[in-house]
Amino acid sequence: MPYTDTRRSRDSGDNGNARTIVRIDVTMNKTILFSRQAIEEAITELARRINADYRGRPLVVVGILKGSFVFLADLIRKLDLDVTVDFVVLGSYGSGTTTSGEVKMLKDLSAPIEGKDVLVVEDIVDTGVTLTFFMDTLRRRRPASLAICALIDKKARREVQIDVQYVGIEMEDGFIVGYGIDCNEQYRNLPDIWVLRDEDGS
Ligand code: IMP
Ligand code: MG
């Protein structure tokens, strides 16, 4: 049975309803919750593939802040490669659960990537707008190679075609939080991934 977390978010939804974190039973509702164990298994498999594909080559891992920071921290500790880490801050979502459609680079990389193998690490690929913008920006800097590793792929909501070489977990629609992923800066510290719903269950 689904059950409701005792914590309630202080913010309100667009319709003014309070939001509640609801843990969804995967089989009953076809809405997905990812436990910390499921996340760990997905990351182990991602790391296995990345280790095999980049064996013997230094890799620049680029995290998109803030959503990817927990995922990136777990992923790189499973990489048996010569890894360096850099971060960017991109702004796409304003506040709440809908995208503004506009992408800005709020903090750039701290080092050049020309001639390097670069792996971009993202929490969620949703419409694909954010990553399309960012990959175009990075491509102009002439890295030796450029690939994307996303923990979550919401394929059904894609608006722009984008190749994501490494996907941890696929899901349908639904707004999720936890494991670094936020709603209005809350819930990043939850060790599992939860679905956020309005109180009326929508
Ligand atoms: P896109 O440009 O629509 O692909 O947006 C991707 C970004 O939107 C992700 O990196 C997240 O920061 C944010 N996002 C997309 N879906 C969710 C969600 O379910 N929860 C929290 N943030 C999300
Ligand atoms: Mg993000």
Side-chain angles (χ1 to χ4, degrees):
M1 282 293 291
Y3 68 89
T4 304
D5 188 17
T6 49
R7 292 174 25 148
R8 291 199 173 187
S9 118
R10 281 183 297 275
D11 63 298
S12 297
D14 298 338
N15 54 9
N17 287 344
R19 287 185 194 280
T20 308
I21 295 184
V22 181
R23 190 167 188 148
I24 303 294
D25 180 285
V26 177
T27 49
M28 281 184 56
N29 290 285
K30 294 201 181 93
T31 309
I32 303 168
L33 161 82
F34 306 115
S35 68
R36 63 199 80 180
Q37 291 83 3
I39 295 167
E40 218 235 309
E41 279 170 28
I43 295 175
T44 300
E45 174 58 14
L46 285 172
R48 188 194 61 72
R49 290 179 52 208
I50 294 166
N51 281 328
D53 291 352
Y54 291 91
R55 184 150 313 285
R57 287 149 61 191
L59 182 64
V60 181
V61 174
V62 172
I64 302 181
L65 291 174
K66 302 173 192 170
S68 71
F69 80 103
V70 177
F71 171 41
L72 183 144
D74 282 344
L75 178 69
I76 60 167
R77 282 178 288 174
K78 290 180 188 279
L79 295 183
D80 184 18
L81 302 166
D82 174 4
V83 166
T84 55
V85 178
D86 207 343
F87 289 102
V88 293
V89 178
L90 303 179
S92 62
Y93 273 69
S95 59
T97 56
T98 49
T99 180
S100 68
E102 200 186 319
V103 184
K104 285 186 208 135
M105 173 107 71
L106 304 173
K107 183 221 165 282
D108 203 339
L109 293 172
S110 55
I113 53 165
E114 186 170 351
K116 305 211 165 145
D117 289 314
V118 176
L119 181 68
V120 172
V121 173
E122 173 66 310
D123 53 354
I124 303 167
V125 188
D126 188 17
T127 63
V129 170
T130 307
L131 271 179
T132 299
F133 160 84
F134 186 53
M135 297 307 272
D136 286 348
T137 305
L138 291 191
R139 219 169 275 121
R140 284 196 289 274
R141 300 180 188 185
R142 301 180 179 282
S145 72
L146 193 52
I148 301 171
C149 175
L151 178 61
I152 307 281
D153 188 359
K154 288 192 196 173
K155 257 204 182 94
R157 285 179 39 92
R158 202 58 42 81
E159 287 172 17
V160 205
Q161 198 278 326
I162 182 158
D163 291 329
V164 185
Q165 290 76 13
Y166 304 97
V167 172
I169 302 168
E170 286 186 15
M171 68 175 280
E172 301 297 317
D173 202 359
F175 198 84
I176 55 174
V177 295
Y179 197 72
I181 300 163
D182 77 310
C183 179
N184 289 342
E185 296 300 327
Q186 290 188 75
Y187 310 121
R188 293 193 197 274
N189 56 315
L190 300 177
D192 307 286
I193 292 181
W194 302 66
V195 176
L196 199 61
R197 302 162 95 200
D198 290 329
E199 283 216 317
D200 60 6
S202 63

